[in-house]
Amino acid sequence: MTTEPDPTTFADLGLRPELLAALDALGYEEPTPIQREAIGPMLAGQDVLGQAATGTGKTAAFALPLLHRLPPDRGRSGPFALVLVPTRELCMQVSEALHRYGKQIGARVLPIYGGQPIGRQLRELERGVDVVVATPGRAVDHLARGTMDLSGVAVVVLDEADEMLDMGFAEDHETILSGTPQGRQTLLFSATMPARINGIARRHLRDPVRIQVERDLPASGAPPLVRQTAYVVGRAHKAAALGRILDVESPTAAIVFCRTREQVDELTETMNGRGYRAEALHGGMNQEQRDRVMGRVRAATADLLVATDVAARGLDVEHLTHVVNYEVPSAPESYVHRIGRVGRAGREGVAITLAEPREHRMLKTIERVTGQRIKVEKVPTTADLQARRLELTRAALHEILLEDHLDDYRVVVETLSDDFDVMQVALAAVKLAHQAGGGTSGDDDIPEAALPRADRVEPAGTRPHREGGAPAGRKSRQPAAGRTRLYLALGRRDGVRPQDVVGAIAGETPLSGRDIGSIEITETFTLVEVPEEQASVVVDALNATRVKGRKPKARRDRDAPRR
Ligand code: AMP
């Protein structure tokens, strides 16, 4: 396992206050490894050769120092910095990033790419720009027309240099760089370092600082008991994909890592909207708020803890089974550090990573550095979910068959078997049980609507073991009048049966078995109804005892508690 990451802050790196304010507003809590290493030398004016793929935070690594060095009030001058990128998409992304970081500085950023009307580019260039982000082809066009003056360029960035070479831009590079001053600062970023990149570096960079995100890990890599899976998903579908994956995985407790505070808040809201009990934890919260969240997580009132690395540092959640990287972590060390939170003490843990298609390379880097395989799987389809629900129904039926208290129902089967084959009767009964458990064959493509909690976690397994007056199969209904529903963080996987719950309550409180209402036992938790006026007594009594050898962590049940 690794040591805690280096706690350098953006302020420690010496960036100007306007940039620090912009980063704070964006919810960036700390520099990524490449930023930590590259920003200092860049601010000092050194050339940098960085090996870093998308997802490492390389854009901010060059954008921030470049903006930091931008002189004020440049008027109608030509660009101070030129960023060359391989594609139009990257051109827009990098321009947007520069614009966001440089807003308070008043940085004028101009994207220049082929396919865009040249007239607007000409007007902007005429008015004066600070940073031009260009694809090489269009940059060469402007140079040939004499419409872009690179004589004042102080910083040149070659971003994704290996991609640019693959696309045949080598000659354009030479043309463009020869139009810039000798004394400029040159920064080159590339995911891979083939000989040709080294050639460019030798010709155009002066005594560069070499930075690599892919380094040997301090210790032996990821813990062996962690099952590691990745899903490649487009940004727009991530939340839905996460929901499906969680439905299939049914974690006891999961921590979901996001990069920024904003993303934490956004995802927490989205997941709550989808029926999960998610809690946010990030550096923008005060100690009291964090303590409250952690209290809810420890009491298993929350299923998901959505957090930034900084906020989650040092946290120890005992029952954590799943670590989810909602984005690929910015360095292998960070990945290993995150997934080391599960798979402890001989228990199996699961690490799930959602990667956008362009972050695919970072997964490979992590695999290489950790020496462990990350299995890329397809996001579960609605058919997979349905299969999983059927499996849960099957498991629930299997359990009932083993319990063998079925004589009350014999008359139903016997009368029906006068008219139907017993197999038909069984099929109808399974259908009824399955639908009661929340499984339907006609699910939408992506489950948008928030499902009630009990249906959600273990759809078919939430079948009530005892009826408490309410119609069978109606889950998450209101408790009966005068009753309160209690939540216990113990379920079938802990070996809990209805008689254990009744036994614990009747044994530890003045209540008798008759006072106890409906009991629902799912794989991971139990809901039990007790008389309202005795609820607190029961909670206290249960929490002072153990059920099946474990603390029940009882509390009043309430859906999706918010701060
Ligand atoms: P990049 O590797 O430059 O494509 O960046 C990947 C993503 O990380 C982008 O969405 C950035 O907004 C985000 N990012 C970059 N640096 C940080 C940071 N220090 N903290 C949080 N997010 C960051």
Side-chain angles (χ1 to χ4, degrees), residues 50 52 82 94 201 251 263 353 394 405 418 450 479:
L82 172 68
V94 170
Q263 285 165 341
T353 302
R394 194 201 63 78
H405 298 307
D418 290 345

Side-chain angles (χ1 to χ4, degrees), residues 10 28 30-32 35 53-60 100-101 259-260 358:
F10 280 112
Y28 288 18
E30 61 175 0
T32 65
Q35 291 161 6
T54 295
T56 53
K58 66 182 167 63
T59 313
R100 278 200 312 258
Y101 305 142
R259 286 198 183 116
T260 67
R358 57 195 205 93

Side-chain angles (χ1 to χ4, degrees), residues 205-223:
L205 273 63
R206 272 171 313 166
D207 195 17
V209 176
R210 287 175 181 261
I211 292 169
Q212 212 178 352
V213 173
E214 183 175 341
R215 268 182 318 219
D216 288 344
L217 293 170
S220 60

Side-chain angles (χ1 to χ4, degrees), residues 252 399 403 465 488-504 519-526 546-552:
T252 303
E399 196 175 317
E403 275 177 13
H465 283 248
L488 320 188
L490 295 176
R492 272 201 302 278
R493 71 167 63 162
D494 307 295
V496 171
R497 298 160 307 163
Q499 53 267 45
D500 300 316
V501 179
V502 175
I519 300 175
E520 292 182 11
I521 301 182
T522 77
E523 193 64 22
T524 53
F525 63 86
T526 295
R546 285 173 185 260
V547 178
K548 285 279 170 184
R550 306 189 61 153
K551 289 187 182 161

Side-chain angles (χ1 to χ4, degrees), residues 55-394:
T56 53
K58 66 182 167 63
T59 313
F62 65 73
L64 295 168
L66 177 164
L67 291 164
H68 177 98
R69 296 187 57 200
L70 189 68
D73 307 325
R74 298 184 62 261
R76 294 169 73 94
S77 352
F80 168 82
L82 172 68
V83 183
L84 292 176
V85 293
T87 62
R88 168 194 172 136
E89 286 69 34
L90 195 60
C91 182
M92 294 194 290
Q93 268 171 34
V94 170
S95 304
E96 272 166 31
L98 278 157
H99 182 72
R100 278 200 312 258
Y101 305 142
K103 212 173 190 164
Q104 293 200 28
I105 292 176
R108 296 165 302 173
V109 181
L110 178 65
I112 284 185
Y113 49 84
Q116 190 197 36
I118 206 157
R120 194 188 136 227
Q121 296 172 0
L122 292 176
R123 276 195 303 280
E124 300 268 340
L125 285 166
E126 181 76 8
R127 243 184 268 151
V129 295
D130 298 318
V131 186
V132 166
V133 184
T135 50
R138 188 50 80 93
V140 168
D141 278 357
H142 277 285
L143 289 178
R145 288 165 169 244
T147 45
M148 185 162 65
D149 174 15
L150 297 183
S151 62
V153 164
V155 186
V156 171
V157 182
L158 304 175
D159 189 16
E160 304 205 350
D162 49 356
E163 293 275 323
M164 288 198 280
L165 289 190
D166 287 349
M167 293 170 74
F169 287 134
E171 218 173 284
D172 291 345
H173 280 166
E174 303 295 330
T175 311
I176 297 163
L177 288 170
S178 65
T180 61
Q182 285 288 318
R184 63 165 198 263
Q185 179 182 35
T186 312
L187 315 170
L188 186 154
F189 286 89
S190 186
T192 57
M193 284 289 162
R196 284 174 2 146
I197 294 287
N198 279 311
I200 294 191
R202 264 197 311 279
R203 280 198 304 285
H204 298 292
L205 273 63
R206 272 171 313 166
D207 195 17
V209 176
R210 287 175 181 261
I211 292 169
Q212 212 178 352
V213 173
E214 183 175 341
R215 268 182 318 219
D216 288 344
L217 293 170
S220 60
L225 273 171
V226 177
R227 167 160 64 85
Q228 300 173 53
T229 310
Y231 298 87
V232 180
V233 196
R235 173 153 289 274
H237 301 295
K238 272 188 158 181
L242 178 61
R244 282 193 190 173
I245 294 162
L246 291 174
D247 284 348
V248 169
E249 290 278 343
S250 307
T252 303
I255 183 163
V256 184
F257 284 101
C258 293
R259 286 198 183 116
T260 67
R261 288 201 296 265
E262 271 186 338
Q263 285 165 341
V264 165
D265 283 336
E266 204 178 295
L267 183 63
T268 305
E269 205 173 313
T270 307
M271 295 315 281
N272 275 315
R274 287 176 179 271
Y276 298 85
R277 300 177 306 171
E279 291 281 350
L281 192 74
H282 57 60
M285 295 160 63
N286 64 32
Q287 194 56 44
E288 197 191 326
Q289 289 171 317
R290 291 192 207 194
D291 289 346
R292 237 180 295 144
V293 166
M294 285 318 296
R296 286 196 282 265
V297 171
R298 294 215 164 87
T301 322
D303 311 319
L304 302 178
L305 179 65
V306 186
T308 56
D309 282 304
V310 173
R313 202 156 288 160
L315 276 190
D316 196 12
V317 183
E318 201 196 314
H319 57 294
L320 210 58
T321 51
H322 288 62
V323 168
V324 180
N325 299 303
Y326 195 61
E327 284 106 2
V328 175
S330 58
E333 293 97 303
S334 158
Y335 178 84
V336 172
H337 194 253
R338 286 178 180 184
I339 74 169
R341 293 171 177 283
V342 290
R344 292 183 179 171
R347 275 175 289 160
E348 204 215 16
V350 182
I352 290 166
T353 302
L354 302 191
E356 288 178 43
R358 57 195 205 93
E359 292 170 335
H360 185 242
R361 201 189 290 267
M362 193 64 189
L363 287 178
K364 292 271 164 254
T365 303
I366 293 171
E367 278 190 323
R368 209 163 37 235
V369 173
T370 58
Q372 296 199 359
R373 178 124 193 271
I374 303 176
K375 199 163 168 230
V376 177
E377 286 188 5
K378 288 205 166 66
V379 175
T381 59
T382 46
D384 295 333
L385 283 185
Q386 172 68 352
R388 166 79 176 153
R389 289 179 184 143
L390 282 172
E391 170 53 27
L392 290 168
T393 300
R394 194 201 63 78

